[in-house]
Each structure stands twice: as C-alpha cells, then as structure tokens.
Amino acid sequence: MGRPDPEEGQLPAPVKPPDGGWGWIVLLGCFVITGFSYAFPKAVSVYFKELMKDFHVGYSDTAWISSIMLAMLYGTGPVCSIMVNQFGCRPVMLIGGLLASAGMILASFTTNIIELYLTAGVLTGLGMALNFQPSLIMLGTYFDKRRPLANGLAAAGSPVFLSSLSPLGQVLLEKFGWRGGFLIMGGLLLNCCTCGAVMRPLDMGMKRKMGKAQDKYEAKEMLPIGGKSEEGISTTDGTKKGKKAKKKPKKGKKLLDFSIFSNRGFIIYTISKFILVLGLFVPPILLVNYAKDTGVPDTEAAFLLSIIGFIDIFARPACGMVAGLKWVRPHVAYLFSFSMLFNGLTDICSARASNYTGLVIFCVFFGISYGMVGALQFEVLMAIVGSQKFSSAIGLVLLIEAFAVLIGPPSAGRLVDALKNYEVIFYLAGSEVVLSALFLGVASYCCLNRGKKEPLPENHPSAGGGSDTEEAESDVQEAEEHSSDNHQPAHSTDNAVVVANEEANHVAEEQRGEGGGCPAGDGEVLARDGCNADQMVERDSF
C-alpha cells in the first residue's frame, strides 16, 4: 500500500495554512494526544504497589513499564517518520490508537511482569508514538502565523492530563483493582483514534476547490474558441498520463530524509536537545524524595509536583503567545535558549533549599521555565527545517533524545545511591541544562553572522534549509512564465491564479519535454507571489 495520492501524506504542492478553521479541531486532537503521550507513562505509576504485591517484584522492576513506554515514544521516531511519509498522518494515527488501546487491554490479563513489559510497555508505547509524532506534523501544516500559539496550547495537554489521569487512576485502582483500571485506561486510549480521524489532510479541501475552478475554466475556454477546446482536452489527458508516469519513481522518495543533517541549524538544535534532556527530567523525578529527606511530610512533598503542573498549564500557552509576536518570532531560537538557561539556573539555585518554603518557590520558577521549554521545543524545530521536512526531522531528534533519556535519570539515581546527597545531583542537572542553553545561543549567533557575511545565491537553497514547498512554488511560477511566452491570452493572470496548481504543473511538464527554459525573471516572480515570507525568514536565519 503505497502513497498513490497526495491525500494520503505530505503536500506535493504549496497550500497555504489556514491558521484557523478546521485547524482548531486539529489543535484539540493534538492537545489530547500530547496529554496521553507524556502523562500516561507517569500516571500508570499509581498501580505499581499493587503490581509489586501480585507479581512479587521490586519497585525497580515495575518502574521499567514507564521506562519502556518512554523509550518507545522517543526511540521509534524514525519508524514513525517512515510510516508518515509513506502512508500519511491519519492512517498511522488510527493504527497507533488501536495499538495503544490493545496494549492496555491485554495488560489487564497478564500473569507476570514480562508480559506487562510487552503489552503495557512495548505495545502501548508504540501506539502512543504513532500518535504523537503525526499530530505535531499535522499541527505544523494547519498553522503558520499562529503556529507558536498552537504549539503552546497543544503542549499544555501534558500537565492537564497529568493532573487528571493520576487521580483517576487512583480512583479506578480502589474500585476495580489494577486489572479493571488497566482495562478502563485501554478504553480511554481509544480516544486517540478519534483524534486521528479528525486529522484531515490539508490539501483535500483545496483539491476539491481547484477541481471546481478547473471545470469552470475549461467550460469558459470551450465557449469562445471551439478549436482550442479539443486541443486543450487532449493536452490535458496527455499531461495527466505523463504526470502519473513521472510520479511513480517519487513514490518511495526519501522515506526518511537524511539531508536535514546538512542544515547547520538542525545540527545545533539536535546537540543542544541531547544535552538538555540529560538534565531536564532529573529534578521533577527526584523532587519528592529530596523534600522528604529535608523533613517535609509525605502529603506536602507530593503536593510540590502539583504546583509544578499547575504553573506549567498556564506557562505553555503564555509562552506560545509571546513567541508568536512579530518582533520575537524571528529570534525564537534565542527565546528557547533563554528558557533553558532560566530552567538550569533554577535547578542550581534550588540545590541548597532546606525548607518547604524554598521548595515551593523552586517549584513555581521551575514550572514557568519547564513550560517555556515545552512550548518552544518543537516550534524551534519547525522554524529550522520547515513543515515539509519536519516529519523526518522530529523522528531523528526523538531517536537521539531516547539515548539521553536512558542515560540522564538512571545515572542521577545511581549517583544519589552512591553519594547520598541530592545537592550534587541538582547542581549537575542544572549545569547540563545551562550548557545546552549556552551552546544553542552562541552557536546560533555564530551561524547567523556567517550567513550574513556569505549570502547564498537566490536560486541555490541554503544547506538543508530548503523545502519541497519552495520547489513546488518555483515549478508553478515557472509554468506561468512559459504559458505567457507561448502567447496564450486565455491564460491571463487571473486565470493562472484560479487554476494555479493543476494547470501550471501540466504546462510546466509539457514545456520541459519540449526543452523550454526558465525565464530570467522567474526568481523575482517567486519571491513576489509564491513564497511565504515568514517561513523564509525563519529558515534563512539558520
């Protein structure tokens, strides 16, 4: 089952993001998917004590369930990218929702811990991975000008669901036991299929509109000029056949686009994210035990995580709004660097907190900085690589992050066991986050200066910074120039705009077959009409 039609996957032609409309429904689906993906591995921890009693295992054995879920979420990134590029976002998300639900339902019938690893860990983790990545890709195709705000709102799903699923899991555990709780949780995960169903490919509606416009155009052409109608129909049929034949070798084209590694901005982002993840998740994991060791009661220690989650809910959308401002958005990488620096310094300054008031203050500032990082991380990646290459980029980034997730928190836990001192761990985690912030800021600044001193030619895209959308736009504009050179008065500017994608592509292929070249002014036409200025500014800045 290949990808025979643009409706199944990425956009082969430039389609302007609506920045609203059905995009708000897509945003809601992304909000739910993000909540399940990040909160579910943490929410299942409420069942661990019962699992330890039934299966006669230790806490570390049950903790592997959450670890396997997170490892699948991050480590299967390239697999998700290949599937999205081959089949499209909606089918992959529907399959992922079924797998996630099936994993938890099967886990309710398991008889040993190994079976739990395979069902709740591997199967459910893979299902959530197949939902998380495509939802972010669809969000990037529906939003452009409002994309920072959309990313911030979608990222808020993580703290909202974490504050909801954990109490719900406790209630289910008390009333139905862990098996009944797993069964009901599996039913809840079927909502991922609903979210996948609303991820309508953006070009479907546009293609219907273009088809209607094409029919009106052909009818209009046949009335005044009878002889040209037959010629136009035969030409259209011939070009459609040529288009299908030409499309076949592109079917398996770049299922995973490694050319993004030639983009310096992407390399800088990937390295900084790897260093960031080494220390980012350590403080919230160790916070409760750290508070207990300082003499804080158990209930008040657990409430610290609720403070972080509550602040996080509001910090992510607020940061998205700030990142969407006209004077901030071109420099969103520096805002991301500042948020990481803020988070790292918060860890370092709180290392010596010795009372509950100091820990509460730490939680407030950590929640703000953590929310800023969560709201900006994917927005910066979209700005660097563009929406067309985002599916491959996020898969590779998540794979690299998977290694950091498996190294950072476990290493911190071993250091705590060896040193019996939480201060050193907070200093170490904060230093790693600060290092990632400094690396991103300094390296991005150097690349910006180098790009200004050595500008590239207009017709030569920057290394790894181009996108399929820009190439398609150049084809459309080239076709319009060819049609004007052949003295076809019916193809006026108004009609060219109405028929843009379909007619222009047909004429472009016909002219290439006859050996036609590109007019001298083509670059200027593309810059004036076919290019999205905001996206060009963001990618060119890297």
Side-chain angles (χ1 to χ4, degrees), residues 227-241 510:
K228 272 195 173 183
S229 62
E230 296 179 1
E231 181 183 354
I233 293 172
S234 62
T235 304
T236 304
D237 293 340
T239 51
K240 282 184 178 179
K241 292 179 181 178
E510 184 179 355

Side-chain angles (χ1 to χ4, degrees), residues 226-289:
K228 272 195 173 183
S229 62
E230 296 179 1
E231 181 183 354
I233 293 172
S234 62
T235 304
T236 304
D237 293 340
T239 51
K240 282 184 178 179
K241 292 179 181 178
K243 186 178 180 181
K244 289 180 180 178
K246 187 176 179 181
K247 208 174 182 181
K248 286 183 180 179
K250 292 185 179 180
K251 188 179 292 184
K253 178 185 175 183
K254 292 184 180 178
L255 294 179
L256 192 61
D257 191 356
F258 289 98
S259 66
I260 54 177
F261 281 107
S262 61
N263 186 339
R264 288 177 296 179
F266 177 75
I267 297 295
I268 294 170
Y269 176 86
T270 303
I271 296 174
S272 64
K273 272 305 289 292
F274 178 84
I275 302 173
L276 170 69
V277 173
L278 287 175
L280 181 64
F281 302 123
V282 171
I285 291 175
L286 301 179
L287 178 62
V288 175
N289 290 333

Side-chain angles (χ1 to χ4, degrees), residues 102-386:
M104 291 303 295
I105 292 173
L106 292 174
S108 66
F109 298 100
T110 55
T111 56
N112 57 67
I113 195 68
I114 301 299
E115 292 176 357
L116 269 178
Y117 293 160
L118 296 176
T119 53
V122 175
L123 201 58
T124 299
L126 177 60
M128 289 190 295
L130 293 178
N131 273 273
F132 176 62
Q133 188 171 318
S135 67
L136 292 177
I137 295 170
M138 290 300 299
L139 192 67
T141 61
Y142 269 88
F143 288 91
D144 180 23
K145 293 181 179 179
R146 295 177 178 173
R147 194 178 65 209
L149 175 61
N151 275 313
L153 291 172
S158 175
V160 169
F161 271 63
L162 182 59
S163 60
S164 304
L165 289 178
S166 295
L168 175 62
Q170 189 64 41
V171 172
L172 294 177
L173 178 63
E174 293 173 357
K175 290 190 175 182
F176 304 104
W178 71 267
R179 293 186 185 274
F182 275 23
L183 192 63
I184 295 174
M185 286 287 193
L188 288 177
L189 285 174
L190 283 174
N191 286 291
C192 294
C193 295
T194 305
C195 296
V198 304
M199 299 293 173
R200 184 173 64 196
L202 184 58
D203 61 332
M204 286 183 66
M206 299 299 296
K207 188 174 181 181
R208 293 192 189 108
K209 292 180 181 179
M210 293 302 300
K212 293 179 181 178
Q214 178 74 3
D215 293 340
K216 291 180 181 179
Y217 168 75
E218 290 178 352
K220 184 178 179 181
E221 285 294 298
M222 285 197 285
L223 287 175
I225 309 174
K228 272 195 173 183
S229 62
E230 296 179 1
E231 181 183 354
I233 293 172
S234 62
T235 304
T236 304
D237 293 340
T239 51
K240 282 184 178 179
K241 292 179 181 178
K243 186 178 180 181
K244 289 180 180 178
K246 187 176 179 181
K247 208 174 182 181
K248 286 183 180 179
K250 292 185 179 180
K251 188 179 292 184
K253 178 185 175 183
K254 292 184 180 178
L255 294 179
L256 192 61
D257 191 356
F258 289 98
S259 66
I260 54 177
F261 281 107
S262 61
N263 186 339
R264 288 177 296 179
F266 177 75
I267 297 295
I268 294 170
Y269 176 86
T270 303
I271 296 174
S272 64
K273 272 305 289 292
F274 178 84
I275 302 173
L276 170 69
V277 173
L278 287 175
L280 181 64
F281 302 123
V282 171
I285 291 175
L286 301 179
L287 178 62
V288 175
N289 290 333
Y290 178 40
K292 290 179 180 178
D293 284 358
T294 58
V296 177
D298 292 355
T299 55
E300 295 181 1
F303 184 68
L304 293 173
L305 291 178
S306 300
I307 296 175
I308 293 177
F310 181 77
I311 298 296
D312 194 6
I313 291 173
F314 297 97
R316 298 194 183 209
C319 184
M321 293 178 64
V322 173
L325 298 176
K326 292 182 179 180
W327 55 274
V328 175
R329 192 172 183 186
H331 311 289
V332 68
Y334 296 113
L335 181 60
F336 185 46
S337 178
F338 169 77
S339 66
M340 292 190 293
L341 182 64
F342 184 16
N343 185 271
L345 293 177
T346 301
D347 295 341
I348 294 173
C349 293
S350 65
R352 299 185 65 85
S354 57
N355 53 52
Y356 189 69
T357 303
L359 290 175
V360 169
I361 295 174
F362 158 73
C363 289
V364 171
F365 285 99
F366 185 86
I368 295 172
S369 59
Y370 190 77
M372 292 175 66
V373 172
L376 295 173
Q377 56 180 342
F378 297 119
E379 168 60 27
V380 173
L381 182 59
M382 288 181 188
I384 293 172
V385 301

Side-chain angles (χ1 to χ4, degrees), residues 30-147:
C30 191
F31 175 89
V32 174
I33 295 296
T34 303
F36 274 125
S37 299
Y38 279 120
F40 202 84
K42 302 170 187 175
V44 295
S45 62
V46 300
Y47 299 100
F48 284 175
K49 286 187 177 181
E50 293 297 323
L51 294 175
M52 291 165 60
K53 293 179 181 178
D54 283 9
F55 295 142
H56 306 290
V57 295
Y59 182 82
S60 60
D61 296 320
T62 56
W64 270 104
I65 299 173
S66 297
S67 299
I68 293 173
M69 281 187 184
L70 289 173
M72 295 299 294
L73 180 65
Y74 285 95
T76 57
V79 177
C80 297
S81 295
I82 292 173
M83 293 185 67
V84 168
N85 290 337
Q86 181 70 12
F87 304 110
C89 292
R90 185 189 291 181
V92 173
M93 292 184 68
L94 291 174
I95 294 173
L98 292 175
L99 288 177
S101 177
M104 291 303 295
I105 292 173
L106 292 174
S108 66
F109 298 100
T110 55
T111 56
N112 57 67
I113 195 68
I114 301 299
E115 292 176 357
L116 269 178
Y117 293 160
L118 296 176
T119 53
V122 175
L123 201 58
T124 299
L126 177 60
M128 289 190 295
L130 293 178
N131 273 273
F132 176 62
Q133 188 171 318
S135 67
L136 292 177
I137 295 170
M138 290 300 299
L139 192 67
T141 61
Y142 269 88
F143 288 91
D144 180 23
K145 293 181 179 179
R146 295 177 178 173
R147 194 178 65 209

Side-chain angles (χ1 to χ4, degrees), residues 78 166 395 427 522:
S166 295
Y427 281 130
D522 188 56

